[in-house]
Amino acid sequence: MSTASLADKHAGSLRGASLPKWSPWAIAAGSLVVAVGIGLAAGLDSKVQWGLIAAILFILGTFGIAARVEGRRQARDRVATSLVWVAFLLAVIPLVSLIWVTVARGVKVLDLYFLTHSMGVVADSEPGGGIYAAIIGSLEQVGLATLIGAPVGILTAIYLVEYGRGRLAKSVTFFVDVMTGIPSIVAGLFILSLMLIFEMQPFGFAGSLALAILMMPVVVRSTEEMLKLVPNELREASLALGVPKWRTILKVVLPTSIGGITTGVMLAVARIAGETAPVLLLVFGNPFINNNPFEGAQASLPLYIYQQYSQSAGANAAYDRAWAASLTLIAFVMILNMVARGIARWKAPKTGR
């Protein structure tokens, strides 16, 4: 027997038996079939229960078959991989279901007329009307909140990472952590208390102030983490060349982390774009178009959805408008994320590959 044949035989004996690559798919299919049989036999009508039973059977089946063929050590590794896949599916399935239902119900009235007209004098129980006023209000309120919250959050993160030392930095970090978890209604009540003190009426910019409060801690946290990822060697090399620290931050640190910072800002924008409680307290809603966020009540997409859905009892038209506005809001957030990815890719430093 040749040396190559002996080496192949020795390697095969070291590797031992292993399951084929298609075995996870076969185990998953078998688990699903058995789960459906158990569900039907037990009278379980919910497909969610069938899916949970299939997931448990998949994990147990993977461990049992792998332990018998490959050994307990490899079986534990396959179980860990199976748990990751099950967790992934448990996270993705509700998301896909949500998007599917929103698209299926939102396309009923979503057209150019719906996007370019407002409710005006159309009653909630009547067909017609649209979300033009709500789109204008949301764009203005979220835009103003971003103009306020994003610069303050980024500059605060720069201070904490590049300059922050001592009690002041610890206090800022503590309050940022506290603000990250405050309910949105608290930010709305804070601005509302100021409005009551100065005897002000609801207007769009008040909602922007509350949204900016909710946005700032998210921007601070995400920007802070991105700045920490910049290697200190880049800072030291710039400072060694005699470049001032402020210029090092502006020309070296920020361009290196601009992709992550932009993504963090867009995530913060996506978070505040769907807030309803502050807008309900401060903006108050308006069926007519109001392009001035500094005077008079305004509409917004989250508030429009809430109002239409809350008044949809026995009115299919309001119910359909609520779902169409929800689909528009999802599309708005999706477009923001796509723009953020484009800017991040455009502004990211060249890797040299």
Side-chain angles (χ1 to χ4, degrees):
M1 185 179 292
S2 65
T3 304
S5 300
L6 288 173
D8 292 341
K9 183 178 179 181
H10 182 63
S13 62
L14 288 177
R15 285 194 298 268
S18 61
L19 293 173
K21 293 182 178 180
W22 48 264
S23 59
W25 298 101
I27 297 173
S31 301
L32 186 60
V33 171
V34 175
V36 172
I38 294 174
L40 293 175
L44 301 176
D45 297 330
S46 175
K47 292 183 175 59
V48 175
Q49 295 174 322
W50 296 3
L52 293 176
I53 295 173
I56 295 173
L57 292 176
F58 174 67
I59 295 172
L60 295 178
T62 299
F63 179 79
I65 296 174
R68 186 176 182 85
V69 177
E70 300 176 331
R72 297 180 66 87
R73 183 176 181 181
Q74 186 65 22
R76 286 193 292 268
D77 179 73
R78 287 188 176 274
V79 167
T81 305
S82 301
L83 287 173
V84 172
W85 277 105
V86 169
F88 169 74
L89 290 176
L90 289 176
V92 168
I93 289 175
L95 177 61
V96 173
S97 175
L98 173 64
I99 296 176
W100 175 264
V101 172
T102 305
V103 172
R105 297 185 176 181
V107 296
K108 293 181 179 179
V109 296
L110 184 60
D111 52 19
L112 185 61
Y113 178 89
F114 183 74
L115 296 174
T116 57
H117 288 74
S118 301
M119 291 301 295
V121 295
V122 177
D124 293 325
S125 59
E126 298 176 354
I131 57 171
Y132 180 75
I135 292 175
I136 295 298
S138 286
L139 290 177
E140 291 181 349
Q141 293 159 28
V142 173
L144 290 172
T146 305
L147 290 177
I148 298 170
V152 173
I154 293 173
L155 292 175
T156 302
I158 292 174
Y159 165 76
L160 293 175
V161 175
E162 304 294 338
Y163 298 98
R165 301 292 185 274
R167 294 182 178 180
L168 179 60
K170 292 180 180 178
S171 300
V172 173
T173 301
F174 172 76
F175 283 110
V176 168
D177 292 338
V178 172
M179 289 177 62
T180 303
I182 64 171
S184 59
I185 190 68
V186 175
L189 288 173
F190 172 70
I191 301 299
L192 180 61
S193 64
L194 297 178
M195 292 174 60
L196 293 176
I197 291 173
F198 294 101
E199 297 182 354
M200 303 174 68
Q201 297 298 319
F203 62 110
F205 186 65
S208 298
L209 293 176
L211 296 178
I213 293 174
L214 298 173
M215 181 181 186
M216 280 188 286
V218 180
V219 175
V220 172
R221 271 286 160 253
S222 60
T223 303
E224 190 177 358
E225 295 302 321
M226 291 301 105
L227 293 177
K228 288 179 180 178
L229 292 177
V230 178
N232 284 327
E233 289 78 4
L234 294 178
R235 299 181 176 90
E236 294 170 356
S238 177
L239 295 174
L241 294 174
V243 180
K245 189 169 184 176
W246 69 269
R247 195 171 182 85
T248 299
I249 296 172
L250 188 63
K251 295 294 185 180
V252 177
V253 177
L254 288 179
T256 304
S257 57
I258 190 64
I261 293 174
T262 305
T263 303
V265 172
M266 290 299 104
L267 288 175
V269 171
R271 191 236 166 161
I272 65 174
E275 291 291 347
T276 307
V279 179
L280 181 62
L281 288 174
L282 306 171
V283 180
F284 216 63
N286 192 346
F288 298 95
I289 300 172
N290 180 12
N291 294 323
N292 185 4
F294 300 98
E295 183 180 358
Q298 263 193 326
S300 73
L301 280 173
L303 183 57
Y304 179 92
I305 295 169
Y306 168 76
Q307 291 174 337
Q308 292 297 313
Y309 191 83
S310 62
Q311 301 177 19
S312 62
N316 292 329
Y319 189 75
D320 294 338
R321 284 194 295 263
W323 280 107
S326 302
L327 180 58
T328 305
L329 186 59
I330 291 176
F332 173 68
V333 174
M334 187 179 300
I335 291 172
L336 281 179
N337 281 275
M338 293 174 62
V339 171
R341 288 180 178 274
I343 294 175
R345 187 180 296 273
W346 174 44
K347 289 294 186 180
K350 299 297 184 289
T351 60
R353 287 185 289 179

